[in-house]
């Protein structure tokens, strides 16, 4: 197969949801279709249970498990599917943000009893930054849930995107009868038998089929009315709008019962985008270019202090990646080759000889990589679109063991390269500030500094609302602002100016007072 064919048959995406909506269950069912696993339960949930903070080692252990399922590649109907896993725990949301930079589209799972929840809203904002195409799976129809019209309305409002149903449920909960597939124009009847297996469903293609009444009873009339209404209210599905991130097609089903999942997958493969182009600072890189390029979007460290090795996950952007071939590490300006690049199939890891655009390669790393690094065949490219997001929590980090100053500095630097948290240095006095998305990371950092680097740290409280990157063409205002806010200014790791806004109010005031300055909650805009 040539490069173009390899590109066109690839679908690289992430499944995102609020914890408990059914992401793990859906992932597992998709893997069952692909034959990547044979029984349900083979995918370890990467869901990190809510535990007391003293139990964070358990959390890291669970997180360790998830490395095996970081990328799940499998073949199905001639397609190569790459599902990029995202952490279930909200405290690791930044991992998820970064993973979203490496996918071409997203499936959002929503619990039909709950509608859109907070985490989904946040993740959707990240998708919107790049107009990532999203498709929605309304899950748990076998349970009593919200009315489907209400759910569509909820998604449209909460996620701020036009929706279009491509399937329609017949009731829910104990009276759940099935789903009408608007994409293929057929009715699938729900028959909850063996939940462990890929299940064949009864299909009815003609709405006037007498079996409609037989199977659906009174719901048959309701379904016909609903379908007539949908035709009237919603425009025909336009795949271009989906690909532009303007419309989200919606499917209904039950992941646990493997119902509506095959329809979702088949339609998804049909409409979802194949590997896209990526923007580098220098130029746009197209996947069909002959020469290889890729970037690191995730680094996973081994928690074992005796093996302080890491895996750097590289998304292939263009060309063919090959084992044992020299590639250029742009930031370090040197060539490196990799003797055991790995790919991930369900919960197995294997050494591969080649990879194509859309694939993710795991590279064994002894500390050479940081997030955002680019590999090429020599060209100096710097991929964009891997921004830092403003953390939610901030604390001063102080050295607690004067003899271990160097170890602490090295430890902090390496942990930040991995993307565990963000480091800011106050411009006024040089004090270091750690920013995280969740409280858990503070514990993780302290533990890892001690066990992997022999360094001790302590934290001191600091009241910051958000980290804001800012720019302006008005140098006078910029100067004034910097002078007035000097005690709240910091540098991020790339030495960019950041305003650590003390409160939402202070930020609003700053915006009002300095109208020519633009403030951003991400480092790329
Ligand atoms: P997550 O990865 O999004 O956090 O969710 P996960 O798949 O782990 O699912 C959360 C819970 O919801 C699980 O139950 C799962 O079995 C259940 N679930 C998923 N899909 C459906 C569905 O279509 N219908 C129903 N009724 N339940 C569903 P649990 O009790 O937390 O875990 P388990 O003990 O069943 O594994």
């Amino acid at each position: 197969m040539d490069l173009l064919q390899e590109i066109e048959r690839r679908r690289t995406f992430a499944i995102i949801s609020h914890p408990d909506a059914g992401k793990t269950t859906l992932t597992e069912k998709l893997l069952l279709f692909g034959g990547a696993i044979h029984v349900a339960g083979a995918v370890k949930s990467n869901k990190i249970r809510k535990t007391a903070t003293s139990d964070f080692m358990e959390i890291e252990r669970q997180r360790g498990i998830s490395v095996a399922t970081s990328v799940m590649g499998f073949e199905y109907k001639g397609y190569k599917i790459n599902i990029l896993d995202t952490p279930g725990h909200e405290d690791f949301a930044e991992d998820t943000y970064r993973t979203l930079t490496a996918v071409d589209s997203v499936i959002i799972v929503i619990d039909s009893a709950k509608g859109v929840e907070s985490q989904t809203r946040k993740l959707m904002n990240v998708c919107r930054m790049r107009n990532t195409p999203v498709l929605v799976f309304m899950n748990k129809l076998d349970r009593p849930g919200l009315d489907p019209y209400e759910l569509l309305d909820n998604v449209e409002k909460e996620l701020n995107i036009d929706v279009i149903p491509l399937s329609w449920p017949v009731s829910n909960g104990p009276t759940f009868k099935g789903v009408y597939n608007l994409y293929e124009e057929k009715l699938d009847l729900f028959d909850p038998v063996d939940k462990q297996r890929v299940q064949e469903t009864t299909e009815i293609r003609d709405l006037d089929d007498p079996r409609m009444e037989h199977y659906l009873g009174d719901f048959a009339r309701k379904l016909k009315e609903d379908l007539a209404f949908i035709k009237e209210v919603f425009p025909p599905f336009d795949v271009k709008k989906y690909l532009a991130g303007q419309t989200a097609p919606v499917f209904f089903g039950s992941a646990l019962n493997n119902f509506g999942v095959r329809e979702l997958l088949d339609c998804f493969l049909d409409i979802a985008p194949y590997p896209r182009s990526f923007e580098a600072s220098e130029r746009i890189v197209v996947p069909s270019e002959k020469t290889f390029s890729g970037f690191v979007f995730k680094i996973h460290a081994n928690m074992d202090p005796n093996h302080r090795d890491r895996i750097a996950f590289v998304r292939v952007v263009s060309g063919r990646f090959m084992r044992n071939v020299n590639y250029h590490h742009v930031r370090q300006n040197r060539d490196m080759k990799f003797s055991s690049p790995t790919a991930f199939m369900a919960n197995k890891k294997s050494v591969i000889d080649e990879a194509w655009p859309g694939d993710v390669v795991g590279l064994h790393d002894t500390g050479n990589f940081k997030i955002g690094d680019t590999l090429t065949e020599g060209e100096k490219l710097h991929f964009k679109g891997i921004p830092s997001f403003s953390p939610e929590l901030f604390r001063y980090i102080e050295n607690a063991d004067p003899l271990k100053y160097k170890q602490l500095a090295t430890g902090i630097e390496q942990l930040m390269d991995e993307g565990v948290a963000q480091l800011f240095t106050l411009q006024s006095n040089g004090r270091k500030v750690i920013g995280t998305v969740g409280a858990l990371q503070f514990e993780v950092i302290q533990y890892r500094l001690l066990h992997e680097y022999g360094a001790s740290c302590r934290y001191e409280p600091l009241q910051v609302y958000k980290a804001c990157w800012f720019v302006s063409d008005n140098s006078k205002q910029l100067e004034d602002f910097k002078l007035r806010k000097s005690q709240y200014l910091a540098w991020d790791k790339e030495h960019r100016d950041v305003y650590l806004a003390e409160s939402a109010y202070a930020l609003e005031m700053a915006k009002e007072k300095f109208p020519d300055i633009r403030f951003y909650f991400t480092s790329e805009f």
Side-chain angles (χ1 to χ4, degrees), residues 183-208:
Y183 189 67
E184 291 178 25
E185 303 201 325
K186 65 181 174 94
L187 177 70
D188 294 318
L189 291 167
F190 179 58
D191 176 19
V193 273
D194 186 356
K195 295 172 183 172
Q196 303 299 311
R197 231 173 262 151
V198 175
Q199 182 182 305
E200 289 308 322
T201 52
T202 312
E203 294 177 8
I204 299 179
R205 286 199 173 263
D206 178 6
L207 283 182
D208 293 319

Side-chain angles (χ1 to χ4, degrees), residues 17-25 47 139-140 142-143 254-256:
S17 74
H18 192 83
D20 270 349
K23 178 171 70 75
T24 310
T25 314
K47 189 179 0 162
N139 192 25
K140 305 197 187 181
D142 58 316
R143 289 228 185 122
S254 166
L256 187 63

